[in-house]
Amino acid sequence: MGEQGQAGTSSETKSVVTRSAEETIAWGREFARGLKAPLLVLLTGDLGSGKTTLTKGIVAGLGAADEEDVTSPTFTLVHVYGDEPTRGAAVAGTASSPSARSVVYHGDLYRIESFHDFETLGLEDAFAKPAVMILEWSEKFPLQAPWPQVRLKLEHMGGDSRRITVG
Ligand code: ADP
Ligand code: MG
């Protein structure tokens, strides 16, 4: 697929059309090879466009969890893979070794209704330590992120086809 290096720092725009959830997951795995923490991955696209499905591939590709263990954080709001199970523990921090797998946060702001609720999530606390943060519906609230970011846009193309655009 010819991924560029750290996609977040590139101004290049490119897109691909996948024809099944499995293809989207496979694309996400491949895409993750070019990613390096710290990084914010912003996913945009309508409900059912494949944001969570794509995240399965990215999380698996980063080695943080198996794809079947990655589920939608629609109600739980934030999941953490590959490290401490709670945000508090993640913030307390442990010495990170270069060989450690990436910690991956997967958040979904769809059900967050107010800026106050958004702030209560404490997402900014995660920036204390390099990780990959993948966010669905991030466009709903302004997030002050000191990390590089990459935007992935998903679009329904009819049936099981989805266009994924990087940039
Ligand atoms: P979102 O998180 O954007 O709301 P989901 O990933 O939860 O979307 O849901 C996408 C749905 O569409 C899943 O049921 C998935 O199996 C299905 N689907 C069908 N084709 C594709 C495709 N090409 N890419 C991603 N998901 C697909
Ligand atoms: Mg989702």
Side-chain angles (χ1 to χ4, degrees):
M1 274 169 214
E3 304 302 334
Q4 60 248 25
Q6 176 80 343
T9 58
S10 170
S11 58
E12 189 182 332
T13 297
K14 62 170 195 157
S15 70
V16 64
V17 174
T18 63
R19 308 208 175 276
S20 67
E22 291 70 29
E23 265 191 46
T24 292
I25 292 170
W27 188 90
R29 277 182 181 273
E30 195 61 30
F31 181 74
R33 289 163 159 269
L35 305 182
K36 197 167 148 291
L39 183 69
L40 193 56
V41 180
L42 305 177
L43 304 183
T44 62
D46 294 341
L47 274 181
S49 60
K51 300 180 295 299
T52 298
T53 302
L54 176 57
T55 300
K56 288 173 181 279
I58 296 174
V59 172
L62 289 168
D66 292 337
E67 67 185 53
E68 56 271 22
D69 293 331
V70 176
T71 55
S72 178
T74 304
F75 297 98
T76 41
L77 308 177
V78 183
H79 288 164
V80 187
Y81 298 104
D83 199 45
E84 297 90 345
T86 67
R87 194 175 70 235
V91 171
T94 55
S96 61
S97 84
S99 60
R101 297 182 307 175
S102 290
V103 172
V104 182
Y105 294 88
H106 177 203
D108 186 343
L109 307 185
Y110 184 67
R111 287 183 188 271
I112 307 274
E113 279 165 11
S114 68
F115 187 68
H116 172 77
D117 288 351
F118 170 67
E119 287 188 307
T120 304
L121 277 182
L123 282 179
E124 270 119 359
D125 296 346
F127 297 137
K129 207 170 117 181
V132 174
M133 186 184 292
I134 304 170
L135 285 182
E136 303 187 33
W137 298 102
S138 64
E139 63 272 29
K140 284 184 69 176
F141 298 100
L143 179 64
Q144 298 302 320
W147 294 350
Q149 59 188 51
V150 56
R151 197 174 290 273
L152 298 176
K153 186 172 83 177
L154 287 109
E155 295 167 279
H156 287 273
M157 300 294 286
D160 285 346
S161 295
R162 306 285 191 275
R163 174 180 286 137
I164 307 170
T165 304
V166 183

